[in-house]
Each structure stands twice: as structure tokens, then as C-alpha cells.
Amino acid sequence: MNHRNIRKSVLSIALGVCLASMAPTQSAHAANSDGSMLGTAAPGAVVTVRNEETGFTRTVTADDEGNYRFPFLPVGEYRVEAHRDGTLVGTPVDARVSLGNTTKVDLGSGAASLERIEVVGDAIAAVVDVTSTESATNVTREEYSRLPVDRTLTDVALLAPGLNRGDNDLGGISFGGSSVAENAVYVNGLNVTDFYNRIGFNSTPFAFYEEVQVKTGGYSVEFGRTTGGVINAVTRSGTNEFHAGAELVWEPNQWQSEAEDRFFNGDRYYVARFDDYDRTSLNVYGSGPIIEDRLHFFAMYEFRDFQPNNTSTAGTTYFQGDSDDGFYGAKVDWSITDRHLLSFLAFSDETETVRDVFVFNPTTGERGAQTNTQFVQSGGDNWSATYTGYLTDSLSVKAMY
């Protein structure tokens, strides 16, 4: 199949999946990089959701039974309110739309003859999406910053139940006992899994993400090419306020604990005590409006210096590496109108590690003569453009190129 036919097939499949959202009572199937909202209001009421940070606004009309639904909402915080005949129905509600989930918000019936009792308390976010059969765990950037785990997508995914690190030289993650080569990773709906080896994915800095969802079972067919699990992530976006910041992280090899060699029947078969690394990263970012309420940007650059040192399994060869390629990423969101959205994502994690190879004595820890120099390349350039159209209250489409 040529590239033109592949592109046509991908667009057709994506359009077909998204057209399924026209059913008013159907729950959201994680729509890749967004979520959904549904609930009840007064029959015929006009329900409005608005993201105060970006100005994004959508309205739908509740049906004869008072049901309403918003598919394909960008992840974020929303103010939800309903009006009928120009009069506010119920009380406006603040709600968060999380990645791949359906948020349920009921706005009241608007009956004026009933006595009203209002109970005020702290808002509690629903942790279970009862409209979906998915088994999934969501972690936001704010939550992750408070957790004592490493700053990688792999370590965040391991917070979900049923996941383990791959117990072999391939690394990776095992979902419920599946092979580490049976998973898929998506960033803003773009599949960034290694299609050839199936044991890796793009090494994007975690500061680039807004929210991560780990799917362990029951997920939609749109997340294909996997019999293990799915890591689905959405990147940060700009708002109507300008923001900028920097983050410096240094991991010196002198502060790392020493790994232990492995023995079987008294014989050493795996040498690990000489393995270490020194890593430094400086992350700088900026975001804000290009046109307030309509066009926003988020951009990030990370200076990286990584110096890994390790031996071969038997310990007879020593590898001294050096990699200093930086990461860049950007996202632009354009609300053409309240019913037509266009997003552009681009990032590059192209990296080359130069490794000098030496003869090594694992008993004395002495390094001998250099025998070779290896050049290991990974990563690459990635980009995608996504269109979301809210054509009617019951018909929405989504397409990615």
C-alpha cells in the first residue's frame, strides 16, 4: 500500500470513529486527547461550558428529557451553567474535564415551585467514570509534582495497578503480565510507539505533559496495535495569561547507590556494580495568548547532558557514553470559532549517544585499552495537526493528520 492510500485510510478510520459520537447517550471513548461532559438540566435549556483560562466556549440545548452532552472537550477547568428563556436554571457549577473521561454535571430542573435547600461544602472530584467500561488511571501534572517518583512517563505509568517493569534486558512495562512489546503510547492522539521494535517510545520530558492516562483494560478500538495496555498523554497548552519558567535538575553519579552483581550457585553471571550515570537538564518554557480567547501557544526547550557508564553482562567490556542533544516542543491551539478548533503539535527528541568501548576487568575494576566507538541514535521529529468540529448539538467530527 502506498503512502497516499495509508493516509486516506487513517483519516477515514479516524472520521468513522468520531462520527460515532453523534449518538446523544453514548459515553466518550477517550477521544485521544480530550474528554467529555454530560448531565441533566431543564428540558430545552441552553447549557454553556466555558474555560475561563482560554475563553473556549460551547453551548448545546438539552433534549425533551433534560439530557445534554458535550463531546471532545479540551482537558481543563470549566464553568457550567444553564439558561431557559433567558433565566438562569440552577446554580453554575465548576467542573474539571479530565483526559479520556466523561464528567457528569447535573444543573437542576428549574422548577420554581419547589423549596430549595442548598448545602455548601468542598468540591469532590469523581475518581470513577461510571459511563465507561475502561480500567484507567489518570495523573495530572499537579498530582505528579507531589508524588515521590522519578520524572519519567514510565514511572508515572507504574502508579497504575497491575503494571510492572519488564524483567529483561529490553526494559519497558508489563501490563498485567503481557509482554513489554504489546503496549502503545499516544501523545495528543499521535502514536509515538516504536513501530519496529515495539519496546520503546519517544522520550518526551514529563514537564511537557498536562495529564497522563494509563489504560489497563476495556479501552476503545481506536487504541489499536496493543494487547497489553495504553499510555495516553496530553501536552500542556497556553492560556490567556502569559507564563514562563525554568527548572534545573541534576542527578550526580556520586549520590547514587551502588547496584549489586547477581550470582547463581556462587558464580557471578551479571555485573552491575560499575553502572552509573550523571544527568543534568535545564528546562525553560513560555506560554500565552497570540490572540486572546482564540489563539494560544505553549513552547518548551530542554538542555540535556547525559553521561551513562555501564559494563556488559559478563563485565568484560566497559561503555562510557555522552549525549547532549536538547529537546524542543510546541503546541498551538486555534479556536477558529466556538464550533471549529485546530491544534498543531510538534516536538523533537532526536538524540545521539557516543559510547567509547574499553576492555574491562570486573574483578579488579580496572579499565583497559579502548577498542571501539559506538554511535547510538534514537528519537526523531514528530508533528500532528488535529481538527475538531462541533457541527450540530448531536454531530461532532475529529480528524488528525
Side-chain angles (χ1 to χ4, degrees):
M1 182 180 292
N2 60 38
H3 292 296
R4 183 180 298 275
N5 289 336
I6 291 176
R7 290 170 180 167
K8 288 181 179 179
S9 299
V10 171
L11 288 174
S12 298
I13 293 171
L15 186 60
V17 169
C18 298
L19 283 173
S21 68
M22 65 185 295
T25 59
Q26 179 181 331
S27 62
H29 284 297
N32 286 332
S33 59
D34 41 41
S36 297
M37 181 182 295
L38 57 77
T40 58
V46 177
V47 183
T48 302
V49 294
R50 176 178 172 83
N51 187 317
E52 300 294 344
E53 292 185 336
T54 64
F56 172 76
T57 304
R58 271 212 68 206
T59 60
V60 297
T61 302
D63 62 20
D64 294 339
E65 296 181 354
N67 298 310
Y68 73 89
R69 178 170 180 261
F70 292 97
F72 303 151
L73 288 180
V75 172
E77 304 287 341
Y78 290 86
R79 167 59 64 96
V80 191
E81 57 185 28
H83 291 81
R84 187 173 61 177
D85 300 328
T87 302
L88 182 67
V89 178
T91 303
V93 175
D94 293 324
R96 175 176 175 79
V97 172
S98 61
L99 177 62
N101 291 324
T102 298
T103 303
K104 191 173 189 299
V105 178
D106 295 328
L107 298 171
S109 63
S113 60
L114 299 178
E115 181 181 358
R116 174 180 169 184
I117 300 175
E118 182 176 356
V119 178
V120 179
D122 294 334
I124 300 176
V127 295
V128 177
D129 178 8
V130 297
T131 67
S132 173
T133 60
E134 285 189 348
S135 299
T137 301
N138 284 56
V139 181
T140 66
R141 186 167 57 91
E142 291 77 10
E143 293 170 337
Y144 175 77
S145 65
R146 299 191 295 265
L147 297 173
V149 294
D150 202 3
R151 300 166 58 257
T152 68
L153 196 59
T154 298
D155 286 271
V156 173
L158 288 170
L159 295 172
L163 274 68
N164 295 283
R165 292 187 186 276
D167 189 18
N168 51 47
D169 294 337
L170 301 179
I173 304 176
S174 172
F175 284 70
S178 297
S179 162
V180 296
E182 298 178 68
N183 310 320
V185 180
Y186 291 80
V187 175
N188 286 14
L190 176 66
N191 193 332
V192 296
T193 317
D194 185 335
F195 288 107
Y196 295 99
N197 299 316
R198 300 297 302 173
I199 55 172
F201 52 89
N202 291 85
S203 57
T204 307
F206 196 81
F208 194 52
Y209 297 120
E210 176 65 27
E211 188 171 346
V212 175
Q213 184 182 54
V214 184
K215 301 175 183 291
T216 55
Y219 45 85
S220 172
V221 294
E222 65 185 294
F223 297 98
R225 299 190 177 188
T226 167
T227 56
V230 172
I231 300 176
N232 186 33
V234 62
T235 62
R236 297 165 67 179
S237 300
T239 65
N240 283 333
E241 294 185 3
F242 285 99
H243 295 278
E247 181 182 57
L248 175 64
V249 178
W250 179 39
E251 301 175 62
N253 55 11
Q254 295 87 349
W255 295 0
Q256 298 173 18
S257 60
E258 185 178 288
E260 296 182 354
D261 295 344
R262 302 178 190 177
F263 293 82
F264 181 74
N265 290 337
D267 296 327
R268 181 171 53 203
Y269 73 94
Y270 190 92
V271 177
R273 69 182 188 278
F274 302 103
D275 298 351
D276 60 25
Y277 65 85
D278 191 284
R279 191 200 319 263
T280 305
S281 63
L282 174 60
N283 187 297
V284 293
Y285 76 91
S287 65
I290 301 175
I291 301 176
E292 189 170 341
D293 289 345
R294 290 298 177 188
L295 188 61
H296 305 89
F297 77 94
F298 177 86
M300 171 181 291
Y301 187 86
E302 183 172 84
F303 301 88
R304 300 189 290 188
D305 182 43
F306 181 48
Q307 298 178 5
N309 304 307
N310 62 282
T311 60
S312 60
T313 301
T316 57
T317 306
Y318 185 84
F319 303 93
Q320 185 177 47
D322 184 31
S323 175
D324 59 2
D325 296 292
F327 166 90
Y328 71 81
K331 185 170 186 281
V332 176
D333 298 289
W334 183 18
S335 296
I336 305 172
T337 69
D338 291 341
R339 289 187 174 271
H340 301 280
L341 307 180
L342 188 63
S343 295
F344 181 79
L345 169 72
F347 66 90
S348 175
D349 67 336
E350 189 171 7
T351 302
E352 181 180 77
T353 302
V354 181
R355 299 198 306 181
D356 293 329
V357 185
F358 300 87
V359 175
F360 193 73
N361 187 327
T363 302
T364 63
E366 294 181 354
R367 190 177 67 184
Q370 180 177 347
T371 61
N372 195 10
T373 298
Q374 299 177 347
F375 299 88
V376 181
Q377 295 180 330
S378 63
D381 299 325
N382 306 266
W383 68 270
S384 66
T386 304
Y387 165 77
T388 305
Y390 310 105
L391 305 185
T392 69
D393 286 357
S394 58
L395 176 62
S396 299
V397 297
K398 194 180 187 77
M400 169 183 286
Y401 183 80

